[in-house]
Short mmCIF file of all heavy atoms in Angstrom, two decimals:
data_model
loop_
_atom_site.label_atom_id
_atom_site.label_comp_id
_atom_site.label_asym_id
_atom_site.label_seq_id
_atom_site.Cartn_x
_atom_site.Cartn_y
_atom_site.Cartn_z
N GLY B 1 23.98 12.21 10.11
CA GLY B 1 23.35 12.96 11.19
C GLY B 1 22.87 12.04 12.29
O GLY B 1 22.92 10.81 12.18
N GLU B 2 22.40 12.63 13.37
CA GLU B 2 21.91 11.86 14.50
C GLU B 2 20.38 11.88 14.51
O GLU B 2 19.76 12.92 14.28
CB GLU B 2 22.45 12.44 15.81
CG GLU B 2 23.96 12.30 15.95
CD GLU B 2 24.45 12.72 17.31
OE1 GLU B 2 23.66 12.65 18.28
OE2 GLU B 2 25.61 13.14 17.40
N TYR B 3 19.79 10.72 14.83
CA TYR B 3 18.35 10.56 14.83
C TYR B 3 17.92 9.96 16.16
O TYR B 3 18.67 9.22 16.81
CB TYR B 3 17.91 9.65 13.68
CG TYR B 3 18.27 10.20 12.31
CD1 TYR B 3 19.54 9.98 11.76
CD2 TYR B 3 17.36 10.98 11.59
CE1 TYR B 3 19.89 10.52 10.53
CE2 TYR B 3 17.70 11.50 10.35
CZ TYR B 3 18.96 11.27 9.84
OH TYR B 3 19.32 11.79 8.62
N THR B 4 16.68 10.25 16.53
CA THR B 4 16.19 9.78 17.84
C THR B 4 14.88 9.00 17.76
O THR B 4 14.31 8.65 18.79
CB THR B 4 15.97 10.99 18.78
OG1 THR B 4 14.99 11.88 18.19
CG2 THR B 4 17.27 11.73 19.02
N GLY B 5 14.40 8.75 16.55
CA GLY B 5 13.16 7.99 16.47
C GLY B 5 12.79 7.64 15.04
O GLY B 5 13.32 8.20 14.09
N ILE B 6 11.89 6.66 14.91
CA ILE B 6 11.32 6.30 13.61
C ILE B 6 9.80 6.27 13.76
O ILE B 6 9.26 6.10 14.87
CB ILE B 6 11.82 4.94 13.09
CG1 ILE B 6 11.38 3.80 14.03
CG2 ILE B 6 13.32 4.95 12.88
CD1 ILE B 6 11.60 2.43 13.42
N ARG B 7 9.15 6.42 12.64
CA ARG B 7 7.68 6.38 12.61
C ARG B 7 7.26 5.76 11.28
O ARG B 7 7.87 5.98 10.25
CB ARG B 7 7.11 7.80 12.74
CG ARG B 7 5.60 7.87 12.83
CD ARG B 7 5.16 9.31 13.08
NE ARG B 7 5.45 10.17 11.93
CZ ARG B 7 5.62 11.49 12.01
NH1 ARG B 7 5.56 12.12 13.17
NH2 ARG B 7 5.87 12.19 10.92
N PHE B 8 6.21 4.96 11.32
CA PHE B 8 5.66 4.39 10.09
C PHE B 8 4.19 4.08 10.31
O PHE B 8 3.70 4.05 11.45
CB PHE B 8 6.42 3.14 9.65
CG PHE B 8 6.52 2.07 10.70
CD1 PHE B 8 5.51 1.12 10.87
CD2 PHE B 8 7.63 1.99 11.53
CE1 PHE B 8 5.60 0.14 11.83
CE2 PHE B 8 7.74 1.01 12.52
CZ PHE B 8 6.72 0.09 12.65
N ARG B 9 3.49 3.88 9.21
CA ARG B 9 2.08 3.54 9.27
C ARG B 9 1.89 2.06 8.92
O ARG B 9 2.64 1.51 8.10
CB ARG B 9 1.26 4.41 8.31
CG ARG B 9 1.25 5.88 8.68
CD ARG B 9 0.23 6.65 7.84
NE ARG B 9 0.58 6.62 6.42
CZ ARG B 9 1.27 7.57 5.81
NH1 ARG B 9 1.69 8.63 6.49
NH2 ARG B 9 1.53 7.50 4.51
N ILE B 10 0.91 1.46 9.52
CA ILE B 10 0.44 0.14 9.10
C ILE B 10 -0.81 0.39 8.26
O ILE B 10 -1.85 0.81 8.78
CB ILE B 10 0.12 -0.77 10.28
CG1 ILE B 10 1.35 -0.91 11.19
CG2 ILE B 10 -0.31 -2.16 9.79
CD1 ILE B 10 1.06 -1.69 12.46
N GLY B 11 -0.71 0.15 6.96
CA GLY B 11 -1.76 0.50 6.03
C GLY B 11 -1.33 1.60 5.11
O GLY B 11 -0.15 2.02 5.10
N VAL B 12 -2.24 2.11 4.33
CA VAL B 12 -1.95 3.17 3.36
C VAL B 12 -3.00 4.26 3.49
O VAL B 12 -4.12 4.01 3.94
CB VAL B 12 -1.91 2.63 1.92
CG1 VAL B 12 -0.79 1.62 1.74
CG2 VAL B 12 -3.26 1.98 1.53
N ASP B 13 -2.64 5.47 3.07
CA ASP B 13 -3.60 6.56 3.18
C ASP B 13 -4.72 6.40 2.16
O ASP B 13 -4.66 5.56 1.25
CB ASP B 13 -2.90 7.92 3.06
CG ASP B 13 -2.26 8.16 1.71
OD1 ASP B 13 -2.82 7.68 0.68
OD2 ASP B 13 -1.21 8.80 1.66
N GLU B 14 -5.74 7.22 2.29
CA GLU B 14 -6.95 7.06 1.49
C GLU B 14 -6.70 7.24 -0.01
O GLU B 14 -7.31 6.56 -0.83
CB GLU B 14 -8.02 8.04 1.97
CG GLU B 14 -9.43 7.70 1.53
CD GLU B 14 -9.97 6.43 2.18
OE1 GLU B 14 -9.20 5.73 2.85
OE2 GLU B 14 -11.17 6.14 2.00
N THR B 15 -5.79 8.15 -0.37
CA THR B 15 -5.50 8.35 -1.79
C THR B 15 -4.94 7.08 -2.42
O THR B 15 -5.37 6.63 -3.49
CB THR B 15 -4.50 9.51 -1.96
OG1 THR B 15 -5.08 10.69 -1.43
CG2 THR B 15 -4.17 9.71 -3.44
N VAL B 16 -3.97 6.48 -1.75
CA VAL B 16 -3.38 5.23 -2.26
C VAL B 16 -4.41 4.11 -2.19
O VAL B 16 -4.50 3.27 -3.10
CB VAL B 16 -2.14 4.88 -1.43
CG1 VAL B 16 -1.59 3.51 -1.84
CG2 VAL B 16 -1.06 5.95 -1.60
N ASN B 17 -5.20 4.09 -1.14
CA ASN B 17 -6.16 3.00 -0.93
C ASN B 17 -7.21 2.96 -2.03
O ASN B 17 -7.70 1.88 -2.40
CB ASN B 17 -6.83 3.17 0.43
CG ASN B 17 -7.31 1.85 1.00
OD1 ASN B 17 -6.75 0.81 0.73
ND2 ASN B 17 -8.36 1.91 1.79
N LYS B 18 -7.57 4.12 -2.57
CA LYS B 18 -8.63 4.17 -3.60
C LYS B 18 -8.07 4.17 -5.02
O LYS B 18 -8.85 4.14 -5.97
CB LYS B 18 -9.49 5.42 -3.37
CG LYS B 18 -10.21 5.45 -2.03
CD LYS B 18 -11.10 4.23 -1.83
CE LYS B 18 -11.86 4.31 -0.52
NZ LYS B 18 -12.66 3.08 -0.27
N ALA B 19 -6.75 4.20 -5.17
CA ALA B 19 -6.16 4.22 -6.51
C ALA B 19 -6.19 2.83 -7.14
O ALA B 19 -6.42 1.82 -6.46
CB ALA B 19 -4.72 4.74 -6.43
N ASP B 20 -5.95 2.78 -8.42
CA ASP B 20 -5.94 1.51 -9.16
C ASP B 20 -4.75 0.67 -8.72
O ASP B 20 -3.59 1.06 -8.91
CB ASP B 20 -5.82 1.82 -10.66
CG ASP B 20 -5.76 0.54 -11.50
OD1 ASP B 20 -5.97 -0.57 -10.96
OD2 ASP B 20 -5.48 0.64 -12.71
N PRO B 21 -4.97 -0.51 -8.11
CA PRO B 21 -3.84 -1.31 -7.62
C PRO B 21 -3.02 -1.96 -8.72
O PRO B 21 -1.89 -2.37 -8.50
CB PRO B 21 -4.53 -2.38 -6.76
CG PRO B 21 -5.87 -2.55 -7.41
CD PRO B 21 -6.26 -1.17 -7.88
N ASN B 22 -3.61 -2.06 -9.91
CA ASN B 22 -2.93 -2.76 -11.00
C ASN B 22 -1.91 -1.90 -11.74
O ASN B 22 -1.28 -2.37 -12.68
CB ASN B 22 -3.97 -3.31 -11.99
CG ASN B 22 -4.87 -4.32 -11.34
OD1 ASN B 22 -4.42 -5.13 -10.53
ND2 ASN B 22 -6.16 -4.28 -11.65
N ARG B 23 -1.72 -0.66 -11.27
CA ARG B 23 -0.74 0.21 -11.92
C ARG B 23 0.67 -0.06 -11.40
O ARG B 23 1.64 0.42 -11.99
CB ARG B 23 -1.09 1.67 -11.64
CG ARG B 23 -1.06 2.06 -10.17
CD ARG B 23 -1.66 3.44 -9.91
NE ARG B 23 -1.78 3.75 -8.50
CZ ARG B 23 -0.87 4.39 -7.79
NH1 ARG B 23 0.24 4.80 -8.38
NH2 ARG B 23 -1.05 4.62 -6.52
N HIS B 24 0.79 -0.82 -10.33
CA HIS B 24 2.08 -1.02 -9.71
C HIS B 24 2.90 -2.07 -10.44
O HIS B 24 2.38 -3.03 -11.00
CB HIS B 24 1.90 -1.43 -8.25
CG HIS B 24 1.19 -0.39 -7.43
ND1 HIS B 24 1.74 0.83 -7.14
CD2 HIS B 24 -0.06 -0.38 -6.88
CE1 HIS B 24 0.89 1.55 -6.42
NE2 HIS B 24 -0.21 0.83 -6.26
N ALA B 25 4.21 -1.90 -10.41
CA ALA B 25 5.14 -2.84 -11.04
C ALA B 25 4.97 -4.24 -10.46
O ALA B 25 4.48 -4.41 -9.34
CB ALA B 25 6.57 -2.35 -10.86
N PRO B 26 5.40 -5.27 -11.20
CA PRO B 26 5.16 -6.65 -10.75
C PRO B 26 5.71 -6.99 -9.37
O PRO B 26 5.15 -7.83 -8.68
CB PRO B 26 5.85 -7.49 -11.84
CG PRO B 26 5.83 -6.63 -13.05
CD PRO B 26 5.98 -5.22 -12.55
N ASP B 27 6.81 -6.34 -8.97
CA ASP B 27 7.39 -6.67 -7.68
C ASP B 27 7.15 -5.58 -6.63
O ASP B 27 7.77 -5.57 -5.58
CB ASP B 27 8.90 -6.93 -7.81
CG ASP B 27 9.64 -5.76 -8.45
OD1 ASP B 27 8.98 -4.79 -8.91
OD2 ASP B 27 10.87 -5.82 -8.51
N HIS B 28 6.25 -4.66 -6.91
CA HIS B 28 5.94 -3.57 -5.98
C HIS B 28 5.12 -4.09 -4.81
O HIS B 28 4.28 -4.98 -4.96
CB HIS B 28 5.17 -2.47 -6.71
CG HIS B 28 5.09 -1.18 -5.97
ND1 HIS B 28 4.25 -0.98 -4.91
CD2 HIS B 28 5.75 0.00 -6.15
CE1 HIS B 28 4.38 0.26 -4.45
NE2 HIS B 28 5.30 0.87 -5.18
N ALA B 29 5.36 -3.53 -3.63
CA ALA B 29 4.65 -3.98 -2.43
C ALA B 29 3.14 -3.88 -2.57
O ALA B 29 2.41 -4.65 -1.96
CB ALA B 29 5.11 -3.15 -1.23
N LEU B 30 2.64 -2.91 -3.35
CA LEU B 30 1.20 -2.71 -3.47
C LEU B 30 0.58 -3.46 -4.64
O LEU B 30 -0.62 -3.35 -4.87
CB LEU B 30 0.90 -1.21 -3.59
CG LEU B 30 1.32 -0.36 -2.38
CD1 LEU B 30 0.86 1.08 -2.57
CD2 LEU B 30 0.75 -0.92 -1.08
N ASN B 31 1.38 -4.21 -5.37
CA ASN B 31 0.82 -5.06 -6.43
C ASN B 31 0.04 -6.19 -5.78
O ASN B 31 0.57 -6.92 -4.93
CB ASN B 31 1.95 -5.62 -7.30
CG ASN B 31 1.43 -6.37 -8.50
OD1 ASN B 31 0.58 -7.25 -8.37
ND2 ASN B 31 1.93 -6.05 -9.67
N PRO B 32 -1.23 -6.38 -6.09
CA PRO B 32 -2.03 -7.43 -5.45
C PRO B 32 -1.45 -8.82 -5.58
O PRO B 32 -1.64 -9.65 -4.68
CB PRO B 32 -3.39 -7.34 -6.17
CG PRO B 32 -3.46 -5.92 -6.64
CD PRO B 32 -2.05 -5.56 -7.03
N GLN B 33 -0.68 -9.06 -6.66
CA GLN B 33 -0.06 -10.37 -6.81
C GLN B 33 1.05 -10.57 -5.78
O GLN B 33 1.37 -11.70 -5.41
CB GLN B 33 0.53 -10.52 -8.21
CG GLN B 33 -0.48 -10.84 -9.27
CD GLN B 33 -1.03 -12.25 -9.10
OE1 GLN B 33 -2.18 -12.43 -8.73
NE2 GLN B 33 -0.23 -13.24 -9.35
N VAL B 34 1.67 -9.49 -5.35
CA VAL B 34 2.75 -9.57 -4.37
C VAL B 34 2.18 -9.77 -2.97
O VAL B 34 2.62 -10.65 -2.23
CB VAL B 34 3.64 -8.31 -4.41
CG1 VAL B 34 4.63 -8.31 -3.26
CG2 VAL B 34 4.38 -8.24 -5.75
N ASN B 35 1.19 -8.96 -2.61
CA ASN B 35 0.75 -8.95 -1.22
C ASN B 35 -0.50 -9.76 -0.91
O ASN B 35 -0.73 -10.13 0.23
CB ASN B 35 0.56 -7.50 -0.73
CG ASN B 35 -0.47 -6.74 -1.55
OD1 ASN B 35 -1.62 -7.13 -1.66
ND2 ASN B 35 -0.06 -5.61 -2.12
N GLY B 36 -1.34 -10.00 -1.91
CA GLY B 36 -2.57 -10.75 -1.63
C GLY B 36 -3.47 -10.07 -0.63
O GLY B 36 -4.30 -10.71 0.02
N LEU B 37 -3.35 -8.74 -0.50
CA LEU B 37 -4.10 -8.01 0.52
C LEU B 37 -5.06 -6.99 -0.06
O LEU B 37 -5.53 -6.11 0.67
CB LEU B 37 -3.12 -7.29 1.47
CG LEU B 37 -2.30 -8.19 2.40
CD1 LEU B 37 -1.25 -7.36 3.14
CD2 LEU B 37 -3.20 -8.90 3.40
N HIS B 38 -5.36 -7.10 -1.33
CA HIS B 38 -6.26 -6.11 -1.91
C HIS B 38 -7.67 -6.68 -2.05
O HIS B 38 -7.88 -7.75 -2.61
CB HIS B 38 -5.78 -5.63 -3.28
CG HIS B 38 -6.52 -4.42 -3.77
ND1 HIS B 38 -7.63 -4.51 -4.58
CD2 HIS B 38 -6.34 -3.10 -3.52
CE1 HIS B 38 -8.09 -3.29 -4.84
NE2 HIS B 38 -7.33 -2.43 -4.19
N TRP B 39 -8.64 -5.92 -1.51
CA TRP B 39 -10.04 -6.30 -1.66
C TRP B 39 -10.51 -5.77 -3.01
O TRP B 39 -10.95 -4.60 -3.13
CB TRP B 39 -10.88 -5.67 -0.56
CG TRP B 39 -10.98 -6.49 0.68
CD1 TRP B 39 -10.93 -7.84 0.77
CD2 TRP B 39 -11.14 -6.01 2.02
NE1 TRP B 39 -11.06 -8.23 2.07
CE2 TRP B 39 -11.19 -7.14 2.85
CE3 TRP B 39 -11.26 -4.75 2.58
CZ2 TRP B 39 -11.36 -7.04 4.23
CZ3 TRP B 39 -11.41 -4.64 3.94
CH2 TRP B 39 -11.46 -5.77 4.76
N GLY B 40 -10.41 -6.59 -4.05
CA GLY B 40 -10.79 -6.12 -5.37
C GLY B 40 -12.24 -5.71 -5.45
O GLY B 40 -12.61 -4.85 -6.24
N TRP B 41 -13.08 -6.32 -4.60
CA TRP B 41 -14.52 -6.09 -4.71
C TRP B 41 -14.94 -4.83 -3.95
O TRP B 41 -15.83 -4.11 -4.37
CB TRP B 41 -15.25 -7.30 -4.13
CG TRP B 41 -14.69 -8.56 -4.65
CD1 TRP B 41 -13.98 -9.51 -3.97
CD2 TRP B 41 -14.71 -8.99 -6.01
NE1 TRP B 41 -13.58 -10.51 -4.80
CE2 TRP B 41 -14.02 -10.23 -6.07
CE3 TRP B 41 -15.23 -8.48 -7.19
CZ2 TRP B 41 -13.85 -10.94 -7.24
CZ3 TRP B 41 -15.07 -9.19 -8.36
CH2 TRP B 41 -14.39 -10.39 -8.37
N MET B 42 -14.29 -4.55 -2.84
CA MET B 42 -14.70 -3.42 -2.01
C MET B 42 -13.87 -2.19 -2.32
O MET B 42 -14.24 -1.08 -1.96
CB MET B 42 -14.56 -3.79 -0.53
CG MET B 42 -15.41 -4.98 -0.11
SD MET B 42 -15.10 -5.48 1.59
CE MET B 42 -15.70 -4.04 2.45
N GLY B 43 -12.75 -2.38 -2.99
CA GLY B 43 -11.85 -1.26 -3.25
C GLY B 43 -11.00 -0.98 -2.03
O GLY B 43 -11.53 -0.69 -0.96
N GLY B 44 -9.71 -1.09 -2.16
CA GLY B 44 -8.85 -0.81 -1.03
C GLY B 44 -8.13 -2.04 -0.52
O GLY B 44 -8.44 -3.18 -0.86
#
């Protein structure tokens, strides 16, 4: 098909942000070991 645009978010929505980050697979983008971007202390 034909497409005319793309859209994406920088960050994650609140449901994902407050979920347990350690549930993700070892190579998943949201695994803290992969991204080093999780505030373990503040949550999110």
Side-chain angles (χ1 to χ4, degrees):
E2 294 187 26
Y3 299 85
T4 60
I6 64 169
R7 184 174 67 204
F8 54 86
R9 295 190 297 265
I10 304 174
V12 296
D13 64 35
E14 197 68 351
T15 299
V16 174
N17 206 30
K18 298 303 183 184
D20 178 9
N22 297 321
R23 63 191 173 93
H24 299 292
D27 56 353
H28 194 284
L30 298 185
N31 186 309
Q33 281 291 110
V34 171
N35 59 58
L37 290 172
H38 192 266
W39 272 330
W41 313 111
M42 300 175 65

